[in-house]
Amino acid sequence: MALVDSGFRAGLSDDECADLLRALVGLDVRISPPASTVVTHTFLKVRQESRDADPLLPYSSTVSYREFVYHSGRWKWAFDLARAGDTLPGRLVNLLPHISYIGKRGSFIAFRSLLRVTALGADFTQPIQMTGSWSPPPRAHVAPLDDFGPDADMATLSSFSKGKPKRDRHRKFVETIVPLGIVNTGPGFTEYGNK
């Protein structure tokens, strides 16, 4: 979705962004997270819109659980372009530099560079259902990662749409080996690493 958002911000039309989303549906994407990550678990006082909002006081004060993640290092994203068609690689080259945040609530990232490789190392995420010769990294954990389902489309997945995405049709959750394991834990934080 970050790529589709960057398409809108780069000036692509609604139809071009919808086509981009459909082109990304079958694309295998892998991520290599930074070698060190710390997650803090905390409760914050927040203001949110009330369900029965008074027009004079639309927001109420409440407490919400949040996790903040700090990464030290570089993220690497890998796109399997073997079945991508002719236009998607050029679109990726143009749109990846426009991505400045990822995630539902957003997180700042800065684009560094592009390169092409023919094979990925054990520092990249790996779906569990993969066959072939591959061994997990020394430190890892399994997490369900959210991905596009086979029927994913802009009309359903748009934040402004009234359509409700259906599991295994518009969204699917892929059990994935993430090459980071717990290194240290304490009250309010968990540290992950790959060594």
Side-chain angles (χ1 to χ4, degrees), residues 37-94:
T37 298
V38 177
V39 179
T40 58
H41 321 279
T42 187
F43 287 92
L44 297 174
K45 191 171 184 179
V46 296
R47 298 192 52 84
Q48 68 182 29
E49 196 168 5
S50 300
R51 291 179 193 203
D52 303 320
D54 176 353
L56 299 175
L57 300 167
Y59 296 97
S60 63
S61 183
T62 187
V63 175
S64 185
Y65 176 75
R66 293 287 188 264
E67 292 182 334
F68 294 97
V69 180
Y70 170 76
H71 297 287
S72 177
R74 294 176 80 173
W75 281 79
K76 293 183 239 173
W77 299 350
F79 299 88
D80 185 1
L81 300 176
R83 299 183 314 255
D86 296 334
T87 59
L88 187 59
R91 279 266 155 88
L92 291 175
V93 168
N94 292 332

Side-chain angles (χ1 to χ4, degrees), residues 3 7 9 11 17 45 89 106 131 139:
L3 275 165
R9 288 187 286 109
C17 287
K45 191 171 184 179
T131 58
R139 288 190 183 269

Side-chain angles (χ1 to χ4, degrees), residues 2-194:
L3 275 165
V4 175
D5 177 66
S6 70
F8 282 115
R9 288 187 286 109
L12 296 181
S13 70
D14 290 357
D15 290 338
E16 288 173 314
C17 287
D19 290 344
L20 173 64
L21 188 144
R22 287 300 309 157
L24 293 170
V25 166
L27 196 65
D28 190 16
V29 179
R30 305 277 176 81
I31 299 168
S32 172
S36 179
T37 298
V38 177
V39 179
T40 58
H41 321 279
T42 187
F43 287 92
L44 297 174
K45 191 171 184 179
V46 296
R47 298 192 52 84
Q48 68 182 29
E49 196 168 5
S50 300
R51 291 179 193 203
D52 303 320
D54 176 353
L56 299 175
L57 300 167
Y59 296 97
S60 63
S61 183
T62 187
V63 175
S64 185
Y65 176 75
R66 293 287 188 264
E67 292 182 334
F68 294 97
V69 180
Y70 170 76
H71 297 287
S72 177
R74 294 176 80 173
W75 281 79
K76 293 183 239 173
W77 299 350
F79 299 88
D80 185 1
L81 300 176
R83 299 183 314 255
D86 296 334
T87 59
L88 187 59
R91 279 266 155 88
L92 291 175
V93 168
N94 292 332
L95 296 179
L96 284 168
H98 289 274
I99 296 175
S100 58
Y101 72 94
I102 56 172
K104 184 176 181 180
R105 289 189 169 82
S107 59
F108 175 73
I109 60 171
F111 177 80
R112 298 274 307 258
S113 63
L114 291 168
L115 64 113
R116 276 199 129 146
V117 297
T118 56
L120 301 178
D123 58 328
F124 280 86
T125 57
Q126 182 69 45
I128 288 181
Q129 65 266 20
M130 183 199 162
T131 58
S133 62
W134 184 83
S135 58
R139 288 190 183 269
H141 69 281
V142 176
L145 299 185
D146 194 355
D147 199 355
F148 291 135
D151 297 336
D153 61 359
M154 188 68 75
T156 307
L157 296 179
S158 171
S159 299
F160 305 102
S161 169
K162 300 227 186 271
K164 294 284 186 190
K166 291 186 173 57
R167 189 180 185 122
D168 295 327
R169 283 192 52 217
H170 304 104
R171 294 173 67 186
K172 65 180 179 179
F173 295 89
V174 181
E175 292 293 322
T176 304
I177 298 171
V178 179
L180 292 174
I182 294 176
V183 174
N184 194 5
T185 187
F189 81 94
T190 305
E191 180 183 1
Y192 296 87
N194 64 7

